[in-house]
């Protein structure tokens, strides 16, 4: 084998790491690899990597020695302290100007901290979101890199070659400085939580209200995947529902209804709370997973608590059309809220995020790829300062057309006692956003009554604050600060 130094190194040979290595090598680059467990490295080299331009190292020092200068090393290890541990050992063998790429699901604030620390060492650092699962890693993922622009430019040719393609364009773009890439990936995963919850609610309605079989539901999702709901998650839902094991059983019927998570959805919800952005749908999707985990409590409650028995008496075909529209409108809200958070974070952290580029790189390769991401890209291309996707002509008209069906589905689910937290919260958000006046004036009156927190008036300029002596003995003394 040619012993010239490798173009790039990769640490972490779980399935994602292995598949990404094979993708990079297939596109004409030589790769050095290292895994903490040597047996896994040996197995990879003997099987999947055999005969390829891939060289293995048994230590991090040996891996660094395999790479051409300035060196580029990508990490695909578990988020959290394992990333810090690998970086700590890796920088002992790197030189100023070398580059570390964190391709895992690291928390963006950890990426901010690591970027600052490595800058002091003269080491370049790119926090890179990679989406697409095992298949995407091998055949073309969506890639969201953030860090110094000059660092991205160095590896851009590799990223562009290995990324998925949408309309012939690579699904990768520079996101911004420091933790921008991992922030975008975090929000991507939050939207993913919302999408998955919405689809699971639609499945639940079909199964428990309409009494449909797995094959019937699979056929519905297959039809939906041919139209406005065309997306990766709809596609795999179709396949899951039709899959039978060797005994002719459907695994979906035996899977415990307790959803796991790795924290990215929760991070997204927390970030929205910190910045005051109403990410209601994604928040409900996270809470629904928490509720699902209470398996034993729910079993006991099902025997103790009363509620209606699902009963459907209408036309099933007509209702399925309504369900399609309700899911579609709710998905629009999920993406709307995600992009609201991205806009806020761009200002808060000085990321200068280009929302059209984010929609562009999500169009293929990633878990949340959906046909209407092209419409989102076009919306931000036409109006870069668009405050909310619902104000774009296309999405405003789409939601308006779906609205009657959306209300019928949520109402029917509530009457039947079926939980649809994400779909209902999406509708509630829409109704709150479209109202010129909401109920918060009562909240402000209550706050002023018990705490003299003051309030603003509709007939006075914003920023002027007033207090009412509600009980006749409070005088004019008010709270020292005003918090909305």
């Amino acid at each position: 084998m040619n012993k010239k130094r490798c173009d790039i190194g990769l640490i972490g040979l779980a399935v994602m790491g292995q598949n990404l290595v094979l993708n990079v090598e297939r596109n004409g680059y030589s790769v050095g690899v290292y895994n903490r467990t040597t047996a896994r490295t040996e197995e990879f080299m003997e099987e999947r990597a055999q005969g390829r331009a891939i060289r293995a190292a048994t230590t991090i020092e040996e891996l660094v020695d395999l790479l051409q200068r300035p060196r580029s090393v990508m990490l695909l290890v578990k988020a959290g302290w394992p990333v810090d541990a690998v970086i700590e050992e890796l920088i002992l063998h790197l030189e100023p100007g070398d580059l570390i790429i964190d391709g895992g699901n690291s928390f963006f604030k950890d990426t901010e901290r690591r970027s600052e620390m490595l800058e002091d060492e003269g080491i370049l650092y790119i926090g890179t979101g990679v989406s697409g699962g095992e298949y995407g890693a091998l055949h073309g993922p969506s890639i969201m890199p953030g860090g110094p622009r000059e660092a991205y430019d160095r590896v851009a040719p590799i990223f562009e070659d290995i990324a998925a393609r949408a309309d012939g364009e690579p699904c990768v773009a520079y996101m911004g400085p420091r933790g921008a890439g991992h922030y975008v990936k975090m929000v991507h995963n939050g939207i993913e939580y919302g999408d998955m919850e919405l689809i699971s609610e639609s499945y639940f309605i079909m199964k428990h209200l309409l009494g449909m079989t797995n094959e019937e539901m699979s056929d519905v999702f297959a039809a939906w995947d041919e139209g406005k709901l065309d997306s990766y998650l709809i596609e795999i839902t179709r396949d899951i529902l039709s899959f039978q094991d060797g005994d002719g059983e459907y695994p979906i019927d035996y899977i415990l209804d307790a959803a796991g998570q790795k924290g990215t959805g929760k991070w997204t919800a927390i970030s929205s709370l910190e910045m005051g952005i109403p990410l209601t749908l994604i928040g409900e999707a996270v809470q629904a997973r928490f509720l699902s985990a209470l398996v034993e409590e729910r079993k006991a409650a099902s025997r103790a608590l009363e509620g209606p028995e699902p009963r459907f008496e209408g036309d099933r075909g007509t209702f399925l059309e309504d369900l399609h529209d309700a899911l579609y409108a709710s998905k629009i809200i999920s993406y709307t809220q995600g992009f609201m958070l991205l806009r806020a974070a761009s200002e808060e952290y000085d990321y200068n995020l280009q929302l059209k580029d984010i929609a562009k790189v999500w169009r293929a390769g990633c878990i949340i790829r959906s046909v209407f991401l092209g419409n989102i890209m076009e919306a931000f291309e036409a109006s870069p300062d668009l405050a909310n996707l619902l104000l774009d002509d296309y999405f405003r008209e789409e939601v308006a057309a779906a609205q009657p069906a959306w209300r019928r589905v949520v109402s029917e689910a509530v009457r039947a006692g079926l939980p649809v937290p994400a779909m209902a919260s999406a509708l509630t958000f829409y109704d709150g956003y479209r109202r010129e006046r909401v109920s918060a004036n009562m909240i402000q009156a209550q706050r002023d009554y018990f705490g003299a927190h003051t309030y603003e008036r509709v007939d006075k300029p914003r920023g002027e604050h007033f207090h009412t002596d509600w009980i006749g003995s409070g005088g004019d003394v008010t709270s020292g600060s005003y918090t909305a």
Side-chain angles (χ1 to χ4, degrees), residues 136-330:
L138 182 61
H139 298 284
S142 172
I143 307 175
M144 297 149 265
R149 180 71 203 216
E150 64 271 23
Y152 169 70
D153 289 341
R154 183 189 301 177
V155 294
I158 297 178
F159 282 175
E160 290 175 1
D161 284 343
I162 68 171
R165 291 286 190 279
D167 297 328
E169 298 179 296
C171 290
V172 57
Y174 176 68
M175 295 290 109
R178 307 180 315 280
H182 276 142
Y183 193 94
V184 171
K185 178 55 164 52
M186 178 189 76
V187 175
H188 164 287
N189 285 21
I191 294 172
E192 181 182 309
Y193 272 55
D195 262 13
M196 294 171 73
E197 174 63 24
L198 289 168
I199 292 170
S200 75
E201 291 174 12
S202 301
Y203 151 76
F204 203 69
I205 288 172
M206 289 184 202
K207 183 177 180 66
H208 294 284
L209 181 60
L210 303 184
M212 297 175 66
T213 67
N214 290 333
E215 289 293 345
E216 287 173 331
M217 289 186 282
S218 178
D219 289 343
V220 170
F221 280 102
W224 287 358
D225 195 44
E226 298 296 322
K228 293 179 179 180
L229 287 172
D230 176 9
S231 67
Y232 174 74
L233 287 169
I234 292 289
E235 177 184 319
I236 68 170
T237 303
R238 172 202 68 195
D239 295 343
I240 288 167
L241 286 164
S242 65
F243 186 86
Q244 294 174 274
D245 60 23
D247 297 325
E249 302 287 346
Y250 293 91
I252 184 63
D253 295 333
Y254 298 95
I255 296 175
L256 182 67
D257 55 332
Q261 57 185 305
K262 291 187 176 180
T264 48
K266 182 171 67 175
W267 295 343
T268 308
I270 291 171
S271 183
S272 74
L273 291 172
E274 290 175 341
M275 284 190 282
I277 301 300
L279 219 69
T280 56
L281 191 155
I282 292 170
E284 286 292 349
V286 174
Q287 297 291 348
R289 294 198 186 192
F290 294 157
L291 180 60
S292 77
L294 304 177
V295 176
E296 297 306 318
E297 286 187 47
R298 287 191 290 109
K299 283 182 181 178
S302 70
R303 295 187 288 268
L305 302 180
E306 295 184 1
E309 286 297 321
R311 180 185 302 172
F312 182 74
E313 297 176 347
D315 179 75
R316 193 166 82 171
T318 300
F319 187 79
L320 284 171
E321 292 176 3
D322 281 354
L323 185 57
H324 168 280
D325 289 354
L327 175 57
Y328 180 58
S330 298

